[in-house]
Amino acid sequence: MGQDRALSALEFGARIQAAGFNLYVLGNTGRQRHLITGEFLRKEAQGRPTPGDWVYVNNFDDPRKPRGLSLPAGIGARLRRDAARLIEELRSAVPAAFESETYRNRLAEIEQELNERNKRFMEGIENEARERGLGLMPTPHGFALAPVRDGKILSQEDFEALPEAERQRIENDIEELSNRLRQHFENLPAWHKEQRDRIRELDESVARQAIGTLIDAMRERYREHPAILDYLEAVREDLVSHAQELRAGGQPTPMPPGMQPDPAQIFARYQVNLMISHKDGSGAPVVYESNPTYQNLIGRVEHLSQFGSLVTDFTMIRPGALHLANGGYLILDADKVLLQPFAWDALKRAARNGEIRIESVAEFLSLIAAEGLEPDPAPLDVKIVLIGDRLLYYLLCEADPEFPQLFKVAVDFEDRIPRADENLPLYAEMLASIVHREQLAHFSSGAIARVIEESSRISGDSAKLSTDLQRITDLMSEADFLARQRQAARVEAEDVEAAVRQRNYRLDRLRETTHEAIQRNIVHVQTEGLAVGQVNGLSVLQIGEFAFGQPSRITATVRVGDGKLIDIEREAQLGGAIHSKGVMILGSFLGARYSRDLPLSFAASLVFEQSYGGVDGDSASVAELIALLSAIAELPVRQSLAITGSIDQHGKVQAIGGVNYKIEGFFDVCDARGLSGEQGVLIPADNVDHLMLRADVVEAISAGRFHVYPLTEFDEALALMTGLPAGRRGADGEFPVGSANRAIESALQRLAMRRQRFGKTEKRRARKNGDAGGPPA
Amino acid sequence: MKTGYRILLSLNAGAPASLVEQALEALWPGMAEELVGLFIEDSEIFEMARLPVAREIRRDGGRPRPPDAASMEREFRQQAARLREIFERRARHLARRCAFRVARSSPAMLLREASEEFDVLLLADSPERPEYHWAIRRQLALLIQAGPRMIVIARPAQPFARRIAVLCDGSEAGQAALRTAQELAAGRDLELLLLLPPGGEAPPSGPGEENWRVRRLPGLEATSISGLLRAEGAAFLVLPRRIAAAQPAVIAELVDRAPCSVILSG
């Protein structure tokens, strides 16, 4: 309703496939944009293809870099189930293979072979030693050879008593047998290695046979998925290469008590980490991430603390919102993304590169030294929908050059919709849906009408309705509360009215304070009689969501000068640029109307009396001009009227903002003092359609106790404020006698003549001083 | 279940510490009344060390060189201390009385003397350590003839071992071996596996003995018996001393090949 532009942009942005066409949804704060955007995208997503599954599996060549597999929808979940089943079967099949009699016999043969070789050698050496009269005995570190006789070691004396030849023979024999024994010890490691190699080959062969059937069966199930087939082959080879660990139950090396690894872990490496799973035919996902931290967006790698270290593996990778929304739509609150460290950069990086790369912030900031994972990045195909306010959107456009490249679709929700006949029933339906959603009591037609009135007031335009659903919902909830307080069965218009009043009352403290100051004449505001060079201007104060109007006394002073118009607010650096511009425009108007033939010969100053905060905007320029002209011509002007309106160089009165608050602000001051029937407010005619005044103000106006005067031209204000006809310049170039303009022009002429006379006098004095050798004038 | 044995654990030079654990694992709970560890310093080694022509060939390589008596003394001291510590830590949980002795003499003489003092001689074997296994084999030949009532050659158990195998020929020695096997089975909650040699008869089974598993051997051949022991998951093989004494070569071969601890009993 009334959001055609936004909906058309949503539709375009949601459907276009080209890169960079992500969306930014602008508009009022509140949930309306979320509700509409979410509802639209969910409908859109139903018709879109279901994205595939994404899994991580172990990279057996480099476990630090887990492999990502992109699979059709539903296959990921199936693969995970099948992998779990495979692991269960392997847990029993592999140990059973290594427990078989065939395997144990073959293993024993291999082990026995080495023992036999050893034994044969030792027996041979021993026999040979015995034959040569030598004894072989074990020592702490090996063996020793020595001559023996009758089974006993020969003593040194006995040995030396032997003939030289015999001694030499013994020495030679000992040397020869020692060298052979040494050679044997040197060969042992090679023999052991050979034995280990043969055992390993045996183990691999047994493992290959045990797992072959299981893997082949699984390959058959996934024969149409080459990525899975590749992976299963890698599993097969890895299982075979770890056959000895499997044989030993996953404990290849002895560990201290309490540090035994869980035997189940040996098979954990064959698990499948199912990151994203979709049911085939479920359509594209729509994900709203309410807490868009860096990790919540791109995913994380978790760690376990084990024996004082942080450990992780591919099974501990967790998906982020980008994964969950991949292939569909991701909705985020822009301000929340920007507030989270690194989140905005990560989001842009993912969108720019078209992939989700999981990186730990702590690692790339070198905050931790633990080795982390570098999983394969997941290809990204998602439509990012940021929801935020307008100011943020414009700031991003201005300050972040990447933003316009990545978020090319602005979805601009209207703050207001026309209060047209075709919209009112729809609006009422929308209000009814709020009643239903918030489970409020039934609203009478009067209550609905009052809400609609308030909606127009919130929009600041009688021809518009507000689309700030949050505020409307709050109002209706408050009205519902008040109705229940009086135990009514339904909400009436009076409840809505009371809700409005009570809300204003809760927020009204500052307005009451300023009005009290006015009533007590601490802040001077005249609301009756006449004054020269003084006019009631009107301003709006906005504090949070509450705004109110108040009168401001604007004064002007004039003296002979060179046409300079001093804006005291600007001089004191309290005036904003737009206010200064307004003052300059009224200066131009003055010049154009009154000083075509003679120079402006006054110096004037304008100020907002008793205003100590900043002043901006040009909505007081009509009031300022009245004050100035009143001061120039010394024409008294009515204090019972306040003025708001902006003027152009040609004297046309232009629309301003906050017209309702301004009127009500002056009304409240006058009403507190007692309405005289003379009081009122001059407003631009272009603002008449915006009037949505309070009921008491409307009533006072209807009764003639207060007035609102629309202005099109400045002269209308001049006439009302001075009580004189404004006057038009005649064919003779003169304003009519008795007109306000005539008085003003005459005053300006007098000022010009005075200035001229002053100028001649000064020249004479200067010449005189110069002839007398005195100081120049 | 019989208890109250006086048990001697014999440890030679070069015994790794793990052999102590391995040997004590072979005992059943409550078996030992007294448990003595004996570290034998072969006196012949020191005699040999005094002979310059003798040569020591070390396992860890290097040229053969004359044995260094002082170095051997030191090594014996260190080995004995290490083994004592492990023994005392385990043994006090296994026996009411335990002690660790170091003796320097001829191993054969020491063991023969021990046979008179102790009921059980416990030897820990390590087939992967050729010199150690060789020494056990040498001692075994002597001990079969003149050893104590029971000789246990302890080996690491094969995985999933669940039976006690006993070579049962129906003779008195065979009956004694069976009783030993029954005690061991009860103490460890294992099943009994009767191996009947050719011509042998299975003894009548009594109550609770219905679950005996019986296998008839085609012959007394070490390779086939070893295979059967492996297939049946035997943790122990109990042999009658009489058969061991009658066929020492077969028994020696069996001790080499058996995938389990071997007990000579009777």
Side-chain angles (χ1 to χ4, degrees):
Chain A
M1 180 183 52
Q3 301 288 2
D4 295 338
R5 177 182 293 107
L7 289 175
S8 133
L10 255 184
E11 192 177 306
F12 165 71
R15 291 181 184 173
I16 185 169
Q17 294 299 310
F21 284 85
N22 294 296
L23 296 81
Y24 189 105
V25 178
L26 310 88
N28 274 339
T29 55
R31 299 297 302 168
Q32 180 208 10
R33 292 167 299 165
H34 292 78
L35 289 169
I36 295 176
T37 304
E39 205 176 296
F40 178 87
L41 291 177
R42 273 187 285 277
K43 276 203 196 93
E44 191 66 21
Q46 278 170 6
R48 288 197 59 183
T50 309
D53 293 354
W54 179 254
V55 306
Y56 277 112
V57 294
N58 199 5
N59 180 345
F60 301 114
D61 295 327
D62 188 353
R64 285 187 317 116
K65 299 183 178 179
R67 286 180 56 194
L69 301 181
S70 184
L71 304 171
I75 298 297
R78 180 151 70 106
L79 180 63
R80 183 174 67 170
R81 272 197 309 275
D82 286 346
R85 215 169 285 139
L86 174 69
I87 289 170
E88 280 310 304
E89 285 170 358
L90 286 171
R91 278 212 181 100
S92 51
V94 172
F98 285 110
E99 284 175 39
S100 71
E101 191 173 330
T102 312
Y103 170 77
R104 280 153 59 174
N105 285 342
R106 285 173 63 189
L107 180 66
E109 274 172 31
I110 296 171
E111 287 172 346
Q112 201 60 35
E113 255 182 57
L114 179 60
N115 293 342
E116 284 296 307
R117 280 169 91 176
N118 247 336
K119 195 175 85 164
R120 275 198 300 276
F121 175 84
M122 292 306 298
E123 282 175 353
I125 279 282
E126 190 186 21
N127 290 337
E128 213 170 321
R130 195 182 310 116
E131 283 166 13
R132 296 188 193 194
L134 300 175
L136 179 68
M137 64 200 67
T139 68
H141 293 298
F143 286 95
L145 280 164
V148 296
R149 184 187 293 162
D150 298 331
K152 289 214 176 313
I153 304 281
L154 219 55
S155 67
Q156 178 65 16
E157 298 75 24
D158 288 344
F159 178 73
E160 283 172 1
L162 292 172
E164 170 62 28
E166 179 65 8
R167 288 205 305 274
Q168 191 59 52
R169 196 252 332 142
I170 289 172
E171 279 182 32
N172 291 343
D173 287 346
I174 287 178
E175 173 132 3
E176 184 199 329
L177 292 181
S178 300
N179 284 333
R180 280 165 56 186
L181 204 47
R182 176 176 59 85
Q183 186 62 52
H184 172 71
F185 284 139
E186 284 175 4
N187 289 340
L188 272 181
W191 291 2
H192 279 294
K193 182 177 179 310
E194 187 189 314
Q195 181 192 52
R196 284 195 302 273
D197 288 345
R198 289 180 61 198
I199 292 175
R200 187 176 57 251
E201 283 168 16
L202 171 66
D203 289 345
E204 286 179 4
S205 159
V206 168
R208 200 176 286 281
Q209 204 168 354
I211 65 179
T213 318
L214 298 171
I215 296 283
D216 289 340
M218 204 157 150
R219 279 177 60 87
E220 181 57 29
R221 277 180 66 115
Y222 292 97
R223 61 181 178 278
E224 290 169 16
H225 303 285
I228 298 178
L229 294 179
D230 282 346
Y231 169 65
L232 289 173
E233 275 315 298
V235 168
R236 189 202 305 269
E237 291 311 313
D238 189 72
L239 277 165
V240 167
S241 69
H242 285 87
Q244 294 191 307
E245 280 178 55
L246 299 174
R247 176 165 67 88
Q251 297 181 32
T253 55
M255 301 277 281
M259 291 185 72
Q260 308 288 338
D262 181 358
Q265 285 311 306
I266 188 73
F267 292 103
R269 54 202 280 119
Y270 308 115
Q271 288 177 39
V272 169
N273 182 356
L274 180 62
M275 290 278 284
I276 298 298
S277 175
H278 296 287
K279 268 178 76 170
D280 196 15
S282 58
V286 178
V287 172
Y288 170 60
E289 176 54 62
S290 60
N291 183 23
T293 62
Y294 174 86
Q295 287 188 328
N296 283 354
L297 283 176
I298 67 152
R300 57 164 60 81
V301 176
E302 294 177 343
H303 291 77
L304 264 183
S305 178
Q306 222 174 54
F307 310 123
S309 303
L310 291 175
V311 297
T312 186
D313 62 29
F314 71 100
T315 61
M316 306 191 77
I317 305 173
R318 301 286 173 258
L322 282 168
H323 293 97
L324 295 170
N326 204 357
Y329 305 94
L330 175 61
I331 305 173
L332 302 167
D333 292 310
D335 56 341
K336 287 183 187 166
V337 176
L338 289 164
L339 280 173
Q340 291 293 338
F342 310 109
W344 179 235
D345 280 341
L347 188 68
K348 286 191 296 177
R349 193 161 51 244
R352 187 176 58 242
N353 298 337
E355 65 179 23
I356 313 168
R357 186 176 288 276
I358 301 178
E359 291 172 307
S360 157
V361 171
E363 278 170 40
F364 72 63
L365 289 179
S366 303
L367 292 177
I368 59 172
E371 201 174 76
L373 296 182
E374 296 171 29
D376 281 348
L380 180 64
D381 173 24
V382 75
K383 196 70 75 168
I384 302 172
V385 180
L386 288 178
I387 300 182
D389 64 40
R390 288 204 174 79
L391 178 60
L392 188 55
Y393 175 80
Y394 299 131
L395 283 171
L396 284 169
C397 285
E398 186 63 33
D400 186 343
E402 281 190 302
F403 176 76
Q405 304 303 317
L406 295 172
F407 290 86
K408 293 182 172 150
V409 183
V411 179
D412 203 341
F413 275 84
E414 301 285 356
D415 298 338
R416 310 178 299 177
I417 56 169
R419 188 172 168 169
D421 287 342
E422 63 267 23
N423 283 342
L424 281 173
L426 293 171
Y427 200 84
E429 261 183 52
M430 183 204 68
L431 297 181
S433 74
I434 294 175
V435 169
H436 177 72
R437 190 176 69 237
E438 302 296 323
Q439 296 178 337
L440 306 176
H442 178 72
F443 271 56
S444 69
S445 55
I448 292 290
R450 183 63 188 89
V451 172
I452 290 175
E453 281 295 300
E454 190 61 23
S455 170
S456 285
R457 183 174 165 81
I458 291 168
S459 76
D461 190 334
S462 64
K464 300 281 186 184
L465 294 168
S466 171
T467 60
D468 185 350
L469 290 191
Q470 189 60 56
R471 194 143 164 209
I472 300 295
T473 304
D474 290 345
L475 171 65
M476 293 176 73
S477 297
E478 288 186 43
D480 169 78
F481 169 76
L482 292 171
R484 288 178 200 269
Q485 289 279 88
R486 64 180 182 83
Q487 285 155 358
R490 64 181 190 178
V491 180
E492 301 291 348
E494 64 186 86
D495 299 309
V496 179
E497 180 64 40
V500 171
R501 267 202 320 272
Q502 290 202 12
R503 180 179 183 273
N504 288 342
Y505 175 64
R506 288 195 298 272
L507 298 169
D508 206 26
R509 189 189 62 83
L510 189 59
R511 189 198 68 83
E512 267 194 19
T513 305
T514 56
H515 275 239
E516 186 192 339
I518 293 172
Q519 295 314 315
R520 292 173 61 189
N521 270 328
I522 297 169
V523 173
H524 297 294
V525 172
Q526 227 173 305
T527 54
E528 56 187 14
L530 301 167
V532 171
Q534 175 176 291
V535 166
N536 287 323
L538 293 167
S539 55
V540 174
L541 266 69
Q542 177 94 32
I543 300 153
E545 293 216 337
F546 185 68
F548 64 90
Q550 65 173 16
S552 306
R553 189 162 53 99
I554 299 172
T555 60
T557 57
V558 167
R559 56 202 173 279
V560 173
D562 57 2
K564 191 170 177 187
L565 179 55
I566 299 173
D567 174 6
I568 292 180
E569 301 299 331
R570 189 177 80 157
E571 295 300 312
Q573 296 181 0
L574 290 174
I578 299 173
H579 178 256
S580 303
K581 179 183 172 184
V583 172
M584 289 176 201
I585 289 173
L586 67 90
S588 302
F589 167 84
L590 264 177
R593 175 173 278 200
Y594 301 113
S595 70
R596 281 204 180 141
D597 300 323
L598 71 165
L600 285 175
S601 301
F602 66 86
S605 54
L606 283 165
V607 71
F608 279 69
E609 299 289 355
Q610 289 183 294
S611 164
Y612 308 112
V615 173
D616 205 359
D618 64 348
S619 64
S621 53
V622 172
E624 286 166 328
L625 184 56
I626 294 287
L628 180 61
L629 294 177
S630 166
I632 290 170
E634 294 181 326
L635 279 176
V637 291
R638 289 169 67 177
Q639 301 300 292
S640 59
L641 295 175
I643 311 175
T644 184
S646 153
I647 189 172
D648 71 11
Q649 290 189 110
H650 299 294
K652 296 239 176 296
V653 176
Q654 301 165 137
I656 46 81
V659 66
N660 295 300
Y661 297 121
K662 288 172 177 172
I663 294 172
E664 288 164 0
F666 191 63
F667 173 86
D668 288 339
V669 170
C670 297
D671 189 40
R673 291 174 177 173
L675 294 173
S676 65
E678 300 291 320
Q679 288 133 342
V681 177
L682 280 60
I683 66 168
D686 292 339
N687 281 123
V688 167
D689 282 347
H690 302 146
L691 290 175
M692 282 297 302
L693 296 166
R694 290 194 325 245
D696 56 338
V697 178
V698 172
E699 195 212 326
I701 293 170
S702 300
R705 291 184 285 117
F706 193 78
H707 308 275
V708 173
Y709 301 100
L711 303 171
T712 312
E713 301 278 342
F714 171 74
D715 284 340
E716 293 162 13
L718 189 58
L720 277 166
M721 293 299 287
T722 59
L724 298 171
R728 278 196 184 284
R729 207 181 282 283
D732 59 353
E734 299 290 331
F735 288 109
V737 173
S739 67
N741 280 318
R742 177 75 176 230
I744 294 164
E745 195 168 59
S746 301
L748 286 170
Q749 284 166 350
R750 288 194 296 278
L751 284 167
M753 284 191 305
R754 264 188 228 150
R755 184 173 169 220
Q756 203 178 30
R757 277 201 303 274
F758 175 77
K760 284 180 186 163
T761 308
E762 282 301 303
K763 274 185 190 160
R764 272 202 305 272
R765 191 177 297 144
R767 270 202 304 274
K768 206 172 165 184
N769 282 341
D771 289 345
Chain B
M1 182 170 69
K2 182 124 182 342
T3 59
Y5 288 105
R6 298 173 63 236
I7 302 173
L8 178 71
L9 167 62
S10 169
L11 297 162
N12 296 333
S18 57
L19 287 191
V20 175
E21 300 266 2
Q22 180 182 300
L24 296 179
E25 281 287 313
L27 303 178
W28 63 79
M31 179 182 180
E33 168 70 21
E34 182 182 3
L35 185 53
V36 174
L38 176 64
F39 181 72
I40 300 176
E41 295 178 355
D42 193 339
S43 52
E44 283 193 328
I45 292 179
F46 292 96
E47 288 175 29
M48 176 198 62
R50 285 194 285 273
L51 203 54
V53 73
R55 288 289 178 269
E56 185 186 19
I57 305 96
R58 293 171 69 110
R59 221 181 303 115
D60 51 12
R63 277 178 53 81
R65 52 184 167 220
D68 177 355
S71 161
M72 282 197 206
E73 286 273 7
R74 274 196 305 277
E75 187 56 37
F76 275 132
R77 292 288 91 77
Q78 286 170 5
Q79 282 194 7
R82 208 162 44 238
L83 295 172
R84 176 194 294 272
E85 190 206 348
I86 294 167
F87 175 84
E88 286 177 350
R89 193 170 65 231
R90 285 295 312 274
R92 65 170 176 258
H93 300 297
L94 294 170
R96 286 204 312 127
R97 294 194 308 275
C98 55
F100 190 85
R101 302 177 195 165
V102 178
R104 182 175 296 186
S105 179
S106 150
M109 198 164 72
L110 279 172
L111 290 178
R112 211 173 290 125
E113 285 168 9
S115 303
E116 291 157 20
E117 195 184 338
F118 293 91
D119 307 312
V120 179
L121 177 61
L122 184 54
L123 305 169
D125 189 15
S126 177
E128 293 80 31
R129 296 281 289 273
E131 69 283 8
Y132 207 79
H133 176 67
W134 179 85
I136 295 289
R137 250 175 141 257
R138 281 181 79 196
Q139 290 166 3
L140 193 60
L142 294 166
L143 292 168
I144 285 176
Q145 302 299 330
R149 198 146 50 91
M150 191 189 306
I151 301 170
V152 178
I153 302 155
R155 284 243 179 78
Q158 56 176 330
F160 311 110
R162 56 195 177 276
R163 295 198 169 93
I164 310 275
V166 54
L167 191 60
C168 191
D169 62 357
S171 66
E172 202 175 306
Q175 299 279 351
L178 178 59
R179 281 196 294 276
T180 301
Q182 282 177 303
E183 285 168 10
L184 192 53
R188 291 180 168 270
D189 198 22
L190 298 172
E191 294 173 8
L192 215 52
L193 169 67
L194 301 192
L195 303 178
L196 301 183
E201 292 291 329
S205 59
E209 294 164 354
E210 311 79 26
N211 293 332
W212 288 355
R213 196 173 169 87
V214 181
R215 289 285 179 269
R216 190 166 287 283
L217 300 173
L220 270 187
E221 195 271 320
T223 307
S224 61
I225 293 176
S226 299
L228 186 61
L229 292 172
R230 195 169 288 114
E232 293 287 347
F236 291 89
L237 169 63
V238 183
L239 295 169
R241 281 283 286 277
R242 188 185 71 83
I243 292 179
Q247 304 202 45
V250 171
I251 297 307
E253 191 77 11
L254 198 52
V255 166
D256 280 345
R257 290 176 174 275
C260 54
S261 299
V262 177
I263 299 176
L264 303 177
S265 173

